[in-house]
Amino acid sequence: MPDLFSPFDLSGLSLPNRIVMPPLTRSRGPDDAATERVALYYAQRASAGLIIGEGSPISNEGQGYLYNPGIFTPNQIAGWRLVTDSVHSVGGHMFLQIWHVGRISHTSIQQGGQSPVSSTARGAEGAMAFGRNADGEVGFLPASAPRALATDEIGRVVADFVQAARNAMDAGFDGIELHAANGYLFDQFLNPLVNDRTDRYSAATMEGRLRFTLEVVDAVCAAIGPARVGIRLTPFGVIGSMPIFPDSEATYMALGRALGERRIAYIHVMDQTGFFNTPQGQRPTSDAIKDLLRQWRTAAPGMALILDGGLTKARATQLIEEGVIDLAGFGQPFIANPDLVARLRHNWPLSPADRATYYTGGARGYIDYPPYRADAARA
């Protein structure tokens, strides 16, 4: 019976275990490019079966947070190449999450102070970008009002994803993950309570609301092959000013079936339960996600399923043993425990992460977490 430490064949990529380091934004790219420090951070954590690199903007337009290493300039590609060389040199495997934030951005980040773009001109109430205020100081700011992409502009955005995927392969990644979660651009097309378009991308029909996502998937698969393409989704999620809509389950079932037909490497689901309180009378999100994963298993056989969000070793093991998922992601535990795989294997205690250092830059709270030492624990 497989467990967390069993090997796994991910579309031809042999993973030594089923523990995934999910994307974790850390804002450590001072020039929006990865550095030697970023390379060390990932190499320290390369015992994970699979690392999925932090969200990497596909273009300046797609950026919503300063200091996130992008994947659209030669300097950024070279920075990520240093990371993948470091990870591969110690036996690790790594995909890159490629990202367009849509309306979760700020005019201070956009070229010429332009408005962010989205499926809609509706603002993301309560959502925050990481940009510059009127005094030039960097920090979290309310997302700026977006403008809706014209129909004939959407092909350009699709092409940006394709180029970013090719750039990621040039940078040495084993594959890419499309960031279609957490209220960013894909969600802004998928959600009919956000997407108010009247063209062929209208969310009034299932075909329309899925169109943008599947156009990107098809184009990226044609460019780099479906075996090197994954996607991250947040069914029933509310982060990024996403209202829960009535036919969420039917939408994600249709999307999962379509992705299975395309034979991509995996679907990666983030359970957002820890980020909000379930309204009274509403089914717990974790239960709904588990049922959805089971349905995808039948509708899209052969496609790997990854889950992260509040997992413990015991729960991850149970879900793998039951066949609900293939791989388990542990996000915040990887921040403070570069040797997380060994700690889980030997039931060693986990170090707590220092949340105050998550987005501060520098080495502190980034590459200075030590591995577990049994002798030190006994001292």
Side-chain angles (χ1 to χ4, degrees):
M1 183 176 292
D3 61 18
L4 275 174
F5 309 103
S6 304
F8 184 75
D9 183 340
L10 182 66
S11 296
L13 188 65
S14 297
L15 308 182
N17 59 66
R18 297 173 184 239
I19 296 171
V20 174
M21 177 180 172
L24 295 163
T25 298
R26 300 306 309 276
S27 299
R28 290 314 204 274
D31 296 313
D32 295 336
T35 64
E36 292 89 346
R37 189 173 285 163
V38 177
L40 175 57
Y41 167 77
Y42 282 112
Q44 288 174 333
R45 291 154 178 80
S47 59
L50 178 67
I51 292 174
I52 305 172
E54 62 206 86
S56 188
I58 63 169
S59 62
N60 179 253
E61 176 192 81
Q63 187 169 6
Y65 307 89
L66 294 174
Y67 309 146
N68 284 118
I71 190 63
F72 56 92
T73 72
N75 186 50
Q76 291 169 341
I77 296 169
W80 280 123
R81 167 61 76 173
L82 180 62
V83 174
T84 60
D85 283 349
S86 299
V87 168
H88 290 149
S89 73
V90 289
H93 303 85
M94 191 170 184
F95 275 44
L96 180 66
Q97 186 185 74
I98 59 176
W99 190 17
H100 192 304
V101 301
R103 65 181 183 165
I104 315 291
S105 188
H106 191 265
T107 53
S108 65
I109 302 170
Q110 298 291 312
Q111 286 185 337
Q114 297 179 20
S115 298
V117 300
S118 178
S119 65
T120 178
R122 295 171 173 172
E125 185 176 348
M128 305 296 282
F130 193 65
R132 292 185 175 87
N133 64 20
D135 297 323
E137 298 167 336
V138 174
F140 285 100
L141 301 164
S144 300
R147 69 169 181 86
L149 286 159
T151 305
D152 60 5
E153 285 184 281
I154 293 176
R156 170 184 58 76
V157 179
V158 174
D160 286 344
F161 272 102
V162 171
Q163 188 58 56
R166 289 188 172 124
N167 291 347
M169 302 310 289
D170 289 344
F173 286 96
D174 297 300
I176 64 93
E177 176 180 280
L178 298 170
H179 193 352
N182 292 352
Y184 297 115
L185 186 60
F186 289 92
D187 265 349
Q188 293 159 33
F189 277 91
L190 282 168
N191 192 314
L193 300 184
V194 174
N195 179 354
D196 54 359
R197 305 180 71 89
T198 58
D199 60 4
R200 65 179 182 271
Y201 296 94
S202 165
T205 67
M206 189 67 72
E207 183 181 18
R209 75 180 62 162
L210 300 185
R211 187 182 304 278
F212 175 71
T213 300
L214 295 179
E215 283 184 356
V216 174
V217 170
D218 287 342
V220 171
C221 286
I224 67 171
R228 294 294 171 258
V229 177
I231 190 169
R232 194 185 206 197
L233 303 171
T234 42
F236 320 109
V238 298
I239 291 175
S241 192
M242 282 291 115
I244 295 176
F245 55 98
D247 54 347
S248 293
E249 183 174 356
T251 298
Y252 282 99
M253 266 307 301
L255 179 56
R257 188 177 296 109
L259 294 171
E261 291 170 356
R262 286 154 172 82
R263 305 186 69 82
I264 66 170
Y266 66 78
I267 293 177
H268 174 192
V269 172
M270 177 189 174
D271 182 351
Q272 292 184 1
T273 299
F275 292 85
F276 66 95
N277 295 319
T278 302
Q280 188 173 2
Q282 181 178 304
R283 188 181 186 199
T285 299
S286 292
D287 292 349
I289 286 174
K290 186 175 181 179
D291 279 355
L292 185 62
L293 290 165
R294 288 188 183 280
Q295 292 178 70
W296 278 342
R297 182 67 80 197
T298 301
M303 182 173 56
L305 299 176
I306 306 173
L307 178 66
D308 78 84
L311 288 180
T312 62
K313 177 183 177 180
R315 182 162 183 259
T317 299
Q318 180 181 0
L319 291 171
I320 290 172
E321 289 178 349
E322 292 176 355
V324 178
I325 62 173
D326 300 294
L327 303 162
F330 297 85
Q332 293 190 65
F334 258 117
I335 291 176
N337 301 276
D339 57 340
L340 182 64
V341 173
R343 292 187 190 230
L344 292 175
R345 185 186 295 275
H346 299 293
N347 294 313
W348 293 336
L350 301 185
S351 297
D354 181 2
R355 295 184 64 89
T357 63
Y358 277 10
Y359 312 113
T360 54
R364 181 168 168 262
Y366 190 57
I367 56 172
D368 59 345
Y369 289 107
Y372 179 76
R373 287 179 54 201
D375 55 344
R378 289 192 297 266

